[in-house]
Amino acid sequence: MFSGLIISILSLTKHAQEPLNIYILTGQLYNRHQQFQALTDDHAAFLNQLVKRENVDSGVTKIDITTQFEADLPKANINTLFTPYSMLRLYGDLVPQFSDRILYLDADVVCRRPFEDFYHQSLAGTDFVGVLDHYGRWFFHHQQRAFDYINSGMLLMNLDMIRQDKLLARCRECCRKWPMIMPDQSAMNKLAKHKAFAPEKYNEQQDVQSDTVFQHFSTRWKLWPIVHTVSVKPWEVDKVHQQLHLHEYDDILAEYQEIMAELDAEGKLKTE
C-alpha cells in the first residue's frame, strides 16, 4: 500500500488547489490466511515530506486503529477474498481526528483533475456521496430502486450525520453477523438511507475519460478470448502501459519510480 499511497499523493498534490490534510488508516491486522503489517512512523514521515514539497501547509497523519478494529471484529467477513483493510473505512466515526467531512479514497485511486468543488458541495441530509459501482449496479439493489449500489472506493462522507444516525456502527454490526460478497461496500449500501449519487467522473472504474477526476484501478471483466478478470494497479507500471495501454499518468509514475529507486538504493522503508 505504500506504493499506492505515493502515487495517490503525487496525483493529489499535482491537482490540489488548497492545502491537503491526508489521513492514513492502518493497523496490525490478520485473518486465517495472512498476518498484515501496519505502515510505520517512518513511512508516514516520508509521505508527510512528500506532500509538503508542493505545499508546506499540507500534511500526512498516520492513524493506527488496530485497537478499534479488534474491539469490533467483522467476524463473519474477516476471511473473505478482500483483506481486512478493506473494512477500515467502517471505523471512520471512531477516529476523533476526523473532521465532519472526509473524502475517502482507496489506495488505488489516482487523481486526474482538481476536486475542490466536489469536496465542498453541500452534504445536508446526506450520509455520503459516491458513484455507482460499474458492475454491482446491475446486480445489487437495496432501496427498492434500480441503480443505487455505490462503489466504496471513493466516498465523500458526512461524519457528523453518520455519527448521529450511527450508520457505520450499524455497518460494523452487519459485517460482524452476516457474510457478504463485498462486505463493507454491501453493508453501507444496504443500510444507508441518505446517500447521494455523483457522476462517473468522480470514480471512473474503467477507461479514463476526458472529464475524469478520480480514476479507480478496480478489477475489470474481460470477455475475450475467454471470460476472465483483469486487475492492474497503478504501481504495476508495466501492466498499466502494456495491458491497459494507459499513459495518462506517465509523469506521476515516472516520479514514483524515481522515488522507489532512491529508497531502494538507500536501503530505506522496505515494503516487503
Side-chain angles (χ1 to χ4, degrees):
M1 291 303 97
F2 182 57
S3 293
L5 289 168
I6 291 175
I7 294 170
S8 181
I9 286 174
L10 289 174
S11 71
L12 289 166
T13 57
K14 178 179 177 179
H15 298 289
Q17 299 171 336
E18 302 175 11
L20 296 170
N21 293 314
I22 298 174
Y23 299 93
I24 300 171
L25 293 182
T26 190
Q28 294 287 118
L29 309 183
Y30 62 91
N31 58 21
R32 70 185 180 197
H33 306 298
Q34 194 171 353
Q35 175 77 39
F36 303 94
Q37 299 300 314
L39 288 170
T40 67
D41 290 341
D42 288 340
H43 287 120
F46 178 85
L47 295 172
N48 187 55
Q49 293 176 355
L50 187 64
V51 77
K52 287 183 179 297
R53 289 182 186 178
E54 294 296 327
N55 190 323
V56 294
D57 293 325
S58 295
V60 171
T61 303
K62 186 193 76 168
I63 299 176
D64 190 309
I65 60 172
T66 304
T67 300
Q68 294 93 320
F69 188 84
E70 291 182 342
D72 194 3
L73 287 171
K75 295 180 181 178
N77 295 278
I78 195 71
N79 297 306
T80 65
L81 293 174
F82 302 94
T83 75
Y85 288 97
S86 67
M87 286 175 274
L88 291 189
R89 77 200 84 193
L90 299 183
Y91 296 76
D93 57 330
L94 304 180
V95 179
Q97 296 96 322
F98 282 179
S99 64
D100 293 340
R101 177 187 300 259
I102 287 289
L103 176 61
Y104 172 85
L105 299 173
D106 276 354
D108 58 355
V109 172
V110 178
C111 180
R112 183 176 171 273
R113 296 172 65 89
F115 52 92
E116 279 82 0
D117 287 347
F118 177 76
Y119 178 80
H120 290 296
Q121 68 179 285
S122 172
L123 294 178
T126 303
D127 283 314
F128 61 84
V129 181
V131 174
L132 290 174
D133 188 84
H134 183 78
Y135 298 108
R137 75 179 82 184
W138 303 101
F139 305 107
F140 304 105
H141 312 295
H142 290 304
Q143 295 182 357
Q144 305 303 314
R145 56 167 287 183
F147 306 120
D148 72 340
Y149 189 79
I150 285 176
N151 180 279
S152 61
M154 187 290 304
L155 297 170
L156 181 60
M157 304 174 72
N158 182 354
L159 285 181
D160 182 43
M161 184 165 177
I162 285 173
R163 285 166 175 146
Q164 292 180 40
D165 64 21
K166 302 186 185 304
L167 171 61
L168 293 184
R170 290 184 283 119
C171 288
R172 293 193 295 272
E173 180 182 16
C174 188
C175 289
R176 188 169 64 249
K177 293 181 177 180
W178 295 290
M180 291 171 283
I181 297 175
M182 292 174 284
D184 66 294
Q185 185 167 280
S186 294
M188 292 190 73
N189 277 285
K190 178 179 181 179
L191 299 176
K193 297 179 180 179
H194 309 286
K195 56 185 177 182
F197 303 89
E200 285 188 2
K201 66 181 181 179
Y202 293 110
N203 185 359
E204 176 54 62
Q205 299 152 55
Q206 295 292 295
D207 296 324
V208 67
Q209 306 297 320
S210 61
D211 62 349
T212 297
V213 177
F214 293 113
Q215 183 171 6
H216 186 183
F217 285 71
S218 53
T219 299
R220 309 175 182 205
W221 285 91
K222 297 292 185 180
L223 303 180
W224 181 262
I226 60 172
V227 177
H228 64 287
T229 60
V230 175
S231 183
V232 176
K233 298 305 180 183
W235 51 90
E236 298 175 306
V237 179
D238 289 342
K239 290 184 179 180
V240 170
H241 292 156
Q242 296 167 12
Q243 294 187 27
L244 302 184
H245 308 291
L246 181 62
H247 293 271
E248 183 75 20
Y249 311 106
D250 278 3
D251 57 335
I252 292 171
L253 297 182
E255 186 173 359
Y256 155 72
Q257 290 179 312
E258 289 177 5
I259 289 171
M260 295 304 291
E262 290 175 4
L263 292 176
D264 185 61
E266 296 171 0
K268 295 180 179 179
L269 300 177
K270 295 295 186 181
T271 58
E272 298 181 356

